[in-house]
Amino acid sequence: MKGGDGRLYRLLRRAADVRPEESAVALRMFAYFFLITFTAYIIKPVKLSLYLKDLSAERLPYAYLITAAIMGLAVSLNSRLLARLDRRAYISSSLLFFIANLFLFRWLFGFHWPWVSMLFWFWSDLFIVVSVMQFWMAVNDRFNPRQARRLVGFFVSGGLWGGVAGALLASRLAGVLGTENLLLLCPVFLAGAFLIVRRLGAREKTGEENGPALRIGAVPRTGYAESFRIVRGSRYLRLLAGLVAAGILVTTLVDFQFSSVVEASLPLKDARTSFLGTFFLGLLVFSTLLHHLLSNRILKRYGILAALFIPPAVLFLGAAAVFLVPAGRLLAWAVPVKGLDKSLTHTLSQSVRELLYIPVPAEVKFKAKAFIDMFVNKFADGLAAVLLLVLPLSLKGVSVLTMVFCLAWAALAVLITREYAEVIKRHLKIKWEDGDRMVLDKIDVDTTKLVFDTLESRSRSSVLYAMNLYDLIRRERLTPELRKIITQRSGELRAGAMDSLLDVDGEALFPDMDDSLPEESLDAQVREILDLGVYRQVMGAYLERMSRESGPGAETARMEAAKALGLMDPASPLAGSLVPLLRDESTEVASYALQSAARLKRRDLVPHVVACLARPALAQAAVLALSEFGDRVVGTLRDYLADPDEDLRLRRLIPEILARIGTQRASDALQAEFRKPGTLLEGELIEAMARLKTSGSKAEFSTAVILEGMRRQLRGAYKDLERFHGLKSKRAREGRTRELELRLFKCLKSVFALLELIYPPEDIRRAHQNLLAGTKKAIDYSVELLDSVLHKDIKPFLLPLIEDASLEEKAKSAGRLLKALEKASAP
């Protein structure tokens, strides 16, 4: 960073959330808007004062209507200019045109023709709409949504201070120079704006990866009809047009009430101009205070919906007050309502309305913006004028109409806020699929394991092979494809292989069966045999003999027994014989015993299965077995999970089991442990809850528990940043940077996993993946999406951690955010 830029950045960061590379262009944009609004607030009191002198307030609806009609032609001309000229030439030419017009109007006012006041009314509206639209067009060219959200408050401040200066000048000089002569001051300020625009045309670095600061090149040629089709074809743009129209309707009705009051109270032209200048001065000072004290806080803490909803709500109450107060106090109430309307227009309404344009694709943005800001704006003026002319309304009647449009405005605010998040999502693509979900959707893990067991047992024991094959049949998993793989004819592949295990007096309990035997018949025959008393007697004798045997074949015999016990009825007294097999020192024997325990689901086997969790070679098999028990063992598992005296290796596996069970009780057990401060299982619990969510379970999670868990994670991150900030030497910081980045990465991974539990998972995954992508555009759009969807209790603490800022900048604010987090977490 150059020395001059560094000093400028240090100066600006006291007033705005600006990045070093943005400081120069941000200051120019501030000055540009300052000069535009400076000029506008000299012109506004002149416009209204001269109109009331020459044409009176009763004719104001005609001014609204004629302006709306002529504005259609202005939209068409504006579209043609955008198509023919590059952006810099278009804005520069417009400023030169307005400068020349100001000299022309001052000359025409010398003839005292009433129609000049009407023409100046239209011209001043055109000037304000076009010049303000061109400024925000430049902002849209330069900044993405996240940059705009940070800087829009600073730019609006420039507009407000410009308005304050212009209104102050008008109020002080109207009586000295005369109303008409105030127009001769305006070309000086517009010339300054012209010079800034020419400077903005140069290529300046704003932190974006692409493009000049102010785009050079014409917008593809389009006309009024094309602009209308663009707006009509997009639900988002239709809602935005409706929002703007509702706001303008309310503003026009309030303006009519205010103008009627001013005309009745101040008949003298220069006195009226001076009053209007003073009124606008007071209004803008109040707007500036409102903006600095509330606007940014509302946007940052409560989001776009609150910022959009507050203006119609406040004006609804103001209109209701005008309707309800006695007639003698009616005039006194119309003035403050006008003040509130303009103050909110200059602050919340303008800031958030311009933000709503940012995510619109560039190829349609300016066509739509020109149509909405110029035609829709004035169409709403015209509609208000028609209503005022057609309906015989008193000032109180106008208040009723204002309240109706305030309600429509509020409803549109809610609808467009929802649509805004959808538009942001279109800029963020899912970059990779969730691995757990893909496995769950595409692979039957249990069947796959059984197939491998079947193939592996083929070379070891024909008995095991036959039982595994029967298991596939019983589960209806022996598809034609699997049959082709496994059932190649061999002397070992016959169900009669069970004879070696269940041989009684030389007669096989399982008859020979060929491949043509229906699977249903096989299942029925096997179950019939297993229910025979003689089978149980033979099996009991076999188990007793097996327990005494040793040697090379003993392990295989125990495996066969463990498998066979799983085919029995759970109520069989022989099922208790699984206990020693679960404790068997052979991993393979214990694995078959675990599979059988999972099929029998006897509660007396649960402690023995849980004990297998502490054996590393058996841990995963025990996890699968316990998950087969389902909801009936959740209480037992919760007790093991909560017991700090239990083996930690065992406890670390229980969250995965609960996630596989996937019931509401399982979710509650995970949350009960997760809410304990200082739990040693936080990582396993977060992973388990995330797995439960992606499994498609309908279990719900407590928002309060998850939010508190996220706050714990963020407290840890900010403590790390605070310690990093406390390091004095640059060398010490460099040594800790990599470690801190890794810790922050793990923290954010956990936080986003938790966010998926209480917000739409796809939205959170989309934002997280694009944050990891690391491009500035991806990061800014991801943060904007999160800003739109997250709860206000977590948003102020998460967003600073993921903003596109250096570790040093994040560390500087860590202490403040840590205190706020601790306060938010306090009971």
Side-chain angles (χ1 to χ4, degrees):
M1 188 189 299
K2 297 179 181 179
D5 289 343
R7 287 191 295 272
L8 178 60
Y9 166 65
R10 288 192 293 273
L11 177 66
L12 288 183
R13 72 179 181 181
R14 299 176 183 177
D17 185 8
V18 64
R19 301 288 184 263
E21 67 274 10
E22 300 164 345
S23 53
V25 66
L27 182 61
R28 290 190 180 98
M29 297 296 285
F30 178 94
Y32 176 20
F33 203 29
F34 176 92
L35 292 171
I36 289 298
T37 56
F38 194 121
T39 305
Y41 275 89
I42 294 175
I43 290 173
K44 275 190 173 186
V46 173
K47 173 190 81 168
L48 184 56
S49 181
L50 291 176
Y51 187 93
L52 294 177
K53 177 181 78 74
D54 293 332
L55 298 166
S56 80
E58 291 181 358
R59 295 188 175 89
L60 273 176
Y62 295 102
Y64 300 146
L65 190 59
I66 293 172
T67 301
I70 299 177
M71 194 61 72
L73 299 175
V75 170
S76 179
L77 176 61
N78 184 73
S79 298
R80 292 176 181 275
L81 289 173
L82 274 172
R84 294 176 182 275
L85 302 174
D86 66 61
R87 199 93 76 242
R88 181 177 60 177
Y90 162 67
I91 297 175
S92 302
S93 301
S94 299
L95 289 171
L96 292 175
F97 172 75
F98 290 132
I99 289 171
N101 288 172
L102 285 164
F103 288 112
L104 176 62
F105 273 112
R106 177 60 193 93
W107 178 70
L108 289 174
F109 278 127
F111 294 101
H112 304 290
W113 295 327
W115 60 266
V116 176
S117 295
M118 173 66 80
L119 184 61
F120 185 71
W121 178 285
F122 163 72
W123 178 91
S124 61
D125 277 2
L126 179 67
F127 163 74
I128 292 169
V129 169
V130 169
S131 58
V132 172
M133 181 196 70
Q134 288 173 344
F135 169 77
W136 290 111
M137 198 178 276
V139 171
N140 275 272
D141 264 341
R142 290 176 168 277
F143 304 108
N144 60 44
R146 199 63 204 163
Q147 288 177 303
R149 190 185 282 257
R150 284 190 291 102
L151 296 173
V152 70
F154 180 58
F155 300 150
V156 170
S157 296
L160 289 172
W161 285 114
V164 168
L168 179 62
L169 194 68
S171 65
R172 293 293 178 266
L173 296 182
V176 177
L177 299 178
T179 297
E180 294 85 349
N181 291 326
L182 291 176
L183 298 182
L184 298 177
L185 301 174
C186 298
V188 177
F189 306 114
L190 290 184
F194 173 83
L195 294 176
I196 291 174
V197 168
R198 300 306 296 178
R199 180 65 185 88
L200 286 174
R203 188 181 184 91
E204 295 180 89
K205 187 175 180 180
T206 64
E208 282 292 319
E209 294 94 336
N210 57 356
L214 190 61
R215 301 185 194 276
I216 305 300
V219 175
R221 184 166 183 173
T222 181
Y224 162 75
E226 176 65 17
S227 297
F228 174 72
R229 280 194 294 271
I230 288 171
V231 174
R232 187 183 62 181
S234 166
R235 171 178 165 81
Y236 181 72
L237 291 175
R238 290 198 305 272
L239 288 171
L240 183 52
L243 185 82
V244 170
I248 295 299
L249 279 163
V250 170
T251 295
T252 304
L253 294 173
V254 170
D255 182 71
F256 176 77
Q257 288 180 318
F258 172 76
S259 299
S260 299
V261 169
V262 170
E263 183 187 33
S265 304
L266 298 165
L268 297 179
K269 177 187 67 174
D270 290 342
R272 186 166 54 238
T273 304
S274 179
F275 165 78
L276 290 171
T278 303
F279 170 79
F280 286 128
L281 173 63
L283 181 153
L284 288 164
V285 169
F286 176 73
S287 298
T288 304
L289 293 174
L290 180 67
H291 174 67
H292 288 297
L293 295 177
L294 292 178
S295 292
N296 288 336
R297 294 184 182 182
I298 290 170
L299 269 173
K300 287 183 177 181
R301 185 164 180 80
Y302 300 102
I304 285 178
L305 177 58
L308 284 171
F309 195 80
I310 287 173
V314 170
L315 292 173
F316 179 89
L317 295 175
V322 172
F323 177 75
L324 295 173
V325 296
R329 302 180 62 185
L330 189 61
L331 300 182
W333 273 92
V335 172
V337 170
K338 170 71 173 179
L340 283 171
D341 173 45
K342 282 300 179 183
S343 296
L344 291 169
T345 298
H346 292 317
T347 54
L348 279 178
S349 294
Q350 183 172 11
S351 298
V352 75
R353 189 171 67 240
E354 299 306 328
L355 283 176
L356 293 174
Y357 281 110
I358 299 291
V360 178
E363 62 270 18
V364 302
K365 180 187 301 183
F366 298 111
K367 305 170 192 175
K369 183 171 174 57
F371 179 81
I372 293 172
D373 286 2
M374 296 178 70
F375 178 78
V376 173
N377 186 314
K378 292 307 169 184
F379 173 80
D381 270 343
L383 178 58
V386 170
L387 293 173
L388 290 170
L389 290 170
V390 172
L391 302 176
L393 298 174
S394 64
L395 289 182
K396 287 197 172 190
V398 172
S399 293
V400 174
L401 198 57
T402 302
M403 287 188 281
V404 171
F405 286 117
C406 282
L407 293 175
W409 186 1
L412 288 165
V414 174
L415 292 174
I416 199 169
T417 302
R418 296 173 183 169
E419 196 69 17
Y420 176 77
E422 296 300 318
V423 174
I424 289 291
K425 291 176 197 176
R426 293 171 200 157
H427 290 269
L428 302 170
K429 305 297 183 184
I430 293 289
K431 297 185 177 296
W432 60 83
E433 294 298 329
D434 181 78
D436 284 344
R437 178 175 289 278
M438 289 183 67
V439 169
L440 288 169
D441 290 345
K442 300 181 182 298
I443 300 175
D444 186 337
V445 178
D446 292 338
T447 300
T448 303
K449 185 178 185 306
L450 184 54
V451 169
F452 279 109
D453 286 345
T454 304
L455 293 171
E456 191 275 336
S457 65
R458 176 175 172 177
S459 61
R460 183 160 194 166
S461 165
S462 61
V463 174
L464 275 177
Y465 183 84
M467 286 191 288
N468 284 327
L469 195 59
Y470 166 67
D471 219 354
L472 281 170
I473 294 171
R474 186 169 61 88
R475 296 187 185 195
E476 299 180 350
R477 294 292 189 270
L478 193 58
T479 62
E481 292 80 10
L482 285 179
R483 184 189 294 274
K484 186 176 181 181
I485 294 172
I486 317 175
T487 58
Q488 300 176 11
R489 290 191 61 84
S490 159
E492 295 180 325
L493 306 188
R494 305 172 64 85
M498 294 290 283
D499 294 350
S500 62
L501 176 61
L502 305 174
D503 192 1
V504 183
D505 297 331
E507 294 185 7
L509 289 177
F510 281 79
D512 286 345
M513 293 172 281
D514 60 31
D515 289 341
S516 65
L517 183 65
E519 294 173 2
E520 294 81 0
S521 299
L522 174 62
D523 190 27
Q525 289 190 31
V526 171
R527 289 188 177 278
E528 183 179 344
I529 292 169
L530 294 177
D531 289 338
L532 293 174
V534 65
Y535 168 80
R536 295 176 182 175
Q537 292 175 9
V538 171
M539 189 63 184
Y542 177 81
L543 290 169
E544 185 178 351
R545 185 173 72 248
M546 179 204 65
S547 65
R548 297 193 298 267
E549 290 181 356
S550 61
E555 182 183 25
T556 300
R558 295 198 304 276
M559 291 167 63
E560 293 169 349
K563 181 72 177 181
L565 286 170
L567 301 176
M568 299 178 63
D569 188 282
S572 171
L574 290 176
S577 302
L578 266 180
V579 173
L581 297 172
L582 288 167
R583 297 173 180 171
D584 199 287
E585 62 182 12
S586 167
T587 299
E588 292 181 278
V589 172
S591 293
Y592 273 104
L594 285 167
Q595 293 176 29
S596 293
R599 294 188 188 98
L600 296 175
K601 297 181 176 62
R602 287 174 56 124
R603 291 190 62 87
D604 59 325
L605 296 175
V606 171
H608 306 287
V609 177
V610 170
C612 292
L613 292 170
R615 297 172 61 180
L618 291 173
Q620 197 56 39
V623 166
L624 293 174
L626 285 167
S627 65
E628 289 294 322
F629 279 78
D631 205 47
R632 68 178 72 183
V633 294
V634 168
T636 302
L637 293 174
R638 184 181 58 225
D639 294 340
Y640 278 103
L641 183 64
D643 188 351
D645 296 327
E646 278 292 344
D647 189 331
L648 188 58
R649 293 176 301 171
L650 181 153
R651 294 176 65 211
R652 287 189 186 281
L653 292 168
I654 290 177
E656 181 183 350
I657 302 168
L658 292 169
R660 288 177 176 274
I661 292 172
T663 62
Q664 186 61 53
R665 289 184 67 215
S667 172
D668 293 341
L670 289 169
Q671 293 178 76
E673 182 64 23
F674 181 65
R675 71 190 308 166
K676 295 178 182 177
T679 178
L680 299 175
L681 307 174
E682 195 162 61
E684 289 83 359
L685 291 165
I686 293 173
E687 185 176 347
M689 290 188 290
R691 179 169 186 162
L692 192 155
K693 182 74 172 182
T694 59
S695 70
S697 168
K698 294 183 179 180
E700 297 180 352
F701 295 88
S702 166
T703 301
V705 171
I706 302 306
L707 286 175
E708 181 52 37
M710 283 189 280
R711 283 193 285 262
R712 278 202 309 270
Q713 294 288 323
L714 293 172
R715 276 201 300 274
Y718 283 119
K719 285 179 181 177
D720 289 338
L721 283 166
E722 191 175 39
R723 284 191 290 269
F724 180 79
H725 185 59
L727 297 174
K728 301 300 181 184
S729 70
K730 183 178 180 181
R731 188 170 185 178
R733 289 190 179 188
E734 290 175 351
R736 293 287 301 278
T737 296
R738 179 59 183 163
E739 178 189 352
L740 178 58
E741 287 175 343
L742 182 59
R743 292 172 71 90
L744 292 179
F745 173 81
K746 291 180 177 178
C747 166
L748 289 175
K749 182 180 178 182
S750 296
V751 168
F752 277 95
L754 292 170
L755 285 171
E756 288 192 35
L757 302 179
I758 55 177
Y759 290 99
E762 185 174 329
D763 292 351
I764 301 303
R765 200 174 306 125
R766 192 189 302 267
H768 190 205
Q769 290 181 6
N770 281 273
L771 283 170
L772 295 176
T775 66
K776 186 173 181 61
K777 181 178 179 181
I779 291 172
D780 285 335
Y781 272 104
S782 298
V783 175
E784 185 66 17
L785 174 60
L786 293 171
D787 204 350
S788 300
V789 302
L790 293 188
H791 194 272
K792 63 183 178 65
D793 287 346
I794 198 67
K795 181 167 58 177
F797 308 115
L798 175 59
L799 298 190
L801 202 59
I802 60 178
E803 288 272 17
D804 184 26
S806 67
L807 279 179
E808 287 76 10
E809 289 176 317
K810 293 176 182 178
K812 287 177 184 177
S813 58
R816 172 179 57 82
L817 289 167
L818 186 57
K819 289 180 182 178
L821 257 175
E822 290 171 347
K823 183 178 179 181
S825 301

